[in-house]
Amino acid sequence: MRDLDVAVIGAGQAGLSAAYHLRRAGLAPDRDFVVFDHAPGPGGAWQFRWPSLTYGKVHGMHSLPGMELTGADDDRPSSEVIGAYFDAYESRFGLRVHRPVEVSAVRGGEDGRLLVETSEGGYATRTLINATGTWDRPFWPRYPGQETFRGRQLHTADYPGPAEFAGLRVIVVGGGASGTQHLMEIAEVAAATHWVTRRPPVFREGPFGEMEGRAAVAMVEERVRRGLPPQSVVSVTGLPLNDAIRRARAEGVLERLAMFDRITPSGVAWADGRTVEADVILWATGFRAAVDHLAPLRLREPGGGIRVEDTQAVRDPRVHLVGYGPSASTIGANRAGRAAVRSITRLLDRVPA
């Protein structure tokens, strides 16, 4: 059992931001803190993005603190661009990320420590920064007849790009940014596409400035403060109307259907008797926070979420969640990493080693 001041779980944007600020605060990697990452290489969830998501299509990617991302080729896959950037970042600041390492559980230990159980052994830490994001918990809705469908079902997490859908009839479920991106790509090669969403999509006209961004984050933050499962920031901002979206709407690609009532062996059906035949159902239905390893700490509120003030879990002030709820954006993750480290350094000064 190794002793630490801080354990950081996750080496995406939020985890690397936290690690950077820990170094700036005078804590040393592998002595005072360790960053664990279960992924095979640098890049966080970006390394798993589909090849057709080029860097030029990425919306709102903010550089990590202390090192700008410059000179990137807009036509190169974002997984490659951001993976290489994170790799260079880890090397430049000597963050010594431990990977691939699975964290199976975090429990209360002796002397006020937290016990972190990992695939490379146990660690006893005074504080914890959880930066595990959502990519590992794709959300699959359940509908009657789902198991009878004879075609292929897949989630955004497994989306391979549009080529595999050539000549097929495809239903895309989900009204977020990923769903619209998938749909517009697939429509160019598929035999037919249909777009199904639970709620009518909201398209946002006009500029989206700092004031609008703060208002959207505040709405997500309010849910987290109440102990409810967080919504994504995108879910409250709507879909920006860009040239590609306008063209797809004009061509009929983004004609939305209400959510179907059941799935049949050959497609989907509504209660009014309408049916659509399909070869593929693509679930672009989002993700949930990957925090199951924190279950032994009993951080969840009756509403199902973890109540967080700033970045601190209300039920256990030793635990900080970054990239969770209102900080689940690249700029939000940067700020949350800095805020968590400020709070932790104050706590470490009060807690005897």
Side-chain angles (χ1 to χ4, degrees):
M1 185 71 69
R2 292 184 53 191
D3 287 336
L4 299 170
D5 285 326
V6 190
V8 181
I9 306 176
Q13 185 102 11
L16 293 184
S17 171
Y20 168 85
H21 289 291
L22 287 170
R23 288 221 66 169
R24 286 195 49 140
L27 283 75
D30 283 336
R31 186 193 71 192
D32 304 312
F33 74 91
V34 169
V35 182
F36 304 108
D37 190 35
H38 78 95
W46 291 101
Q47 66 193 279
F48 305 113
R49 296 295 202 271
W50 49 99
S52 56
L53 181 63
T54 57
Y55 184 67
K57 295 179 182 177
V58 170
H59 176 67
M61 170 67 194
H62 290 267
S63 296
L64 285 157
M67 179 177 159
E68 291 293 315
L69 171 52
T70 59
D73 181 353
D74 282 351
D75 295 326
R76 190 179 174 196
S78 60
S79 57
E80 296 178 7
V81 172
I82 299 172
Y85 169 56
F86 280 21
D87 189 16
Y89 189 87
E90 291 177 17
S91 297
R92 177 169 175 177
F93 296 107
L95 300 180
R96 302 181 189 175
V97 176
H98 290 216
R99 66 163 59 89
V101 174
E102 296 285 345
V103 175
S104 55
V106 180
R107 309 179 188 279
E110 298 178 355
D111 301 322
R113 303 249 173 181
L114 296 166
L115 302 182
V116 183
E117 300 174 3
T118 84
S119 56
E120 67 174 17
Y123 291 79
T125 183
R126 297 163 73 189
T127 58
L128 176 78
I129 296 177
N130 191 82
T132 46
T134 62
W135 187 259
D136 297 321
R137 283 203 62 201
F139 174 63
W140 290 75
R142 296 299 169 197
Y143 283 86
Q146 196 158 3
E147 70 285 351
T148 70
F149 183 60
R150 292 193 295 262
R152 181 184 180 189
Q153 296 187 61
L154 71 162
H155 191 274
T156 289
D158 305 305
Y159 178 65
E164 289 195 23
F165 303 94
L168 301 179
R169 299 164 300 174
V170 182
I171 295 172
V172 177
V173 182
S178 294
T180 54
Q181 288 176 10
H182 298 338
L183 183 65
M184 290 187 294
E185 288 186 344
I186 293 170
E188 295 183 2
V189 299
T193 59
H194 291 88
W195 186 32
V196 178
T197 71
R198 196 158 51 91
R199 291 185 296 269
V202 176
F203 294 97
R204 189 183 72 238
E205 290 272 14
F208 190 78
E210 184 175 350
M211 182 180 299
E212 292 83 1
R214 289 182 184 276
V217 169
M219 292 174 66
V220 180
E221 191 170 25
E222 176 58 25
R223 285 183 60 88
V224 171
R225 284 192 178 133
R226 290 163 53 200
L228 299 173
Q231 293 176 309
S232 68
V233 174
V234 172
S235 71
V236 297
T237 63
L239 295 165
L241 264 176
N242 55 32
D243 289 343
I245 293 283
R246 289 190 179 91
R247 185 167 56 252
R249 294 181 76 184
E251 294 172 352
V253 173
L254 291 179
E255 289 185 4
R256 173 254 181 187
L257 299 175
M259 197 66 212
F260 47 75
D261 295 290
R262 59 189 174 90
I263 299 175
T264 69
S266 60
V268 299
W270 285 261
D272 63 6
R274 286 181 302 154
T275 62
V276 167
E277 303 289 292
D279 304 299
V280 179
I281 301 174
L282 173 56
W283 297 93
T285 44
F287 299 80
R288 300 293 184 264
V291 292
D292 289 351
H293 55 287
L294 302 179
L297 298 177
R298 301 182 181 276
L299 302 178
R300 288 193 186 274
E301 301 292 331
I306 299 174
R307 194 151 66 96
V308 174
E309 293 285 352
D310 294 323
T311 63
Q312 206 162 30
V314 170
R315 289 182 178 262
D316 192 329
R318 299 169 297 178
V319 178
H320 290 257
L321 286 91
V322 297
Y324 177 84
S327 63
S329 66
T330 55
I331 190 168
N334 283 355
R335 292 169 176 167
R338 181 175 66 246
V341 170
R342 284 177 178 168
S343 179
I344 281 173
T345 53
R346 291 194 298 267
L347 180 67
L348 292 176
D349 286 341
R350 294 200 304 266
V351 178

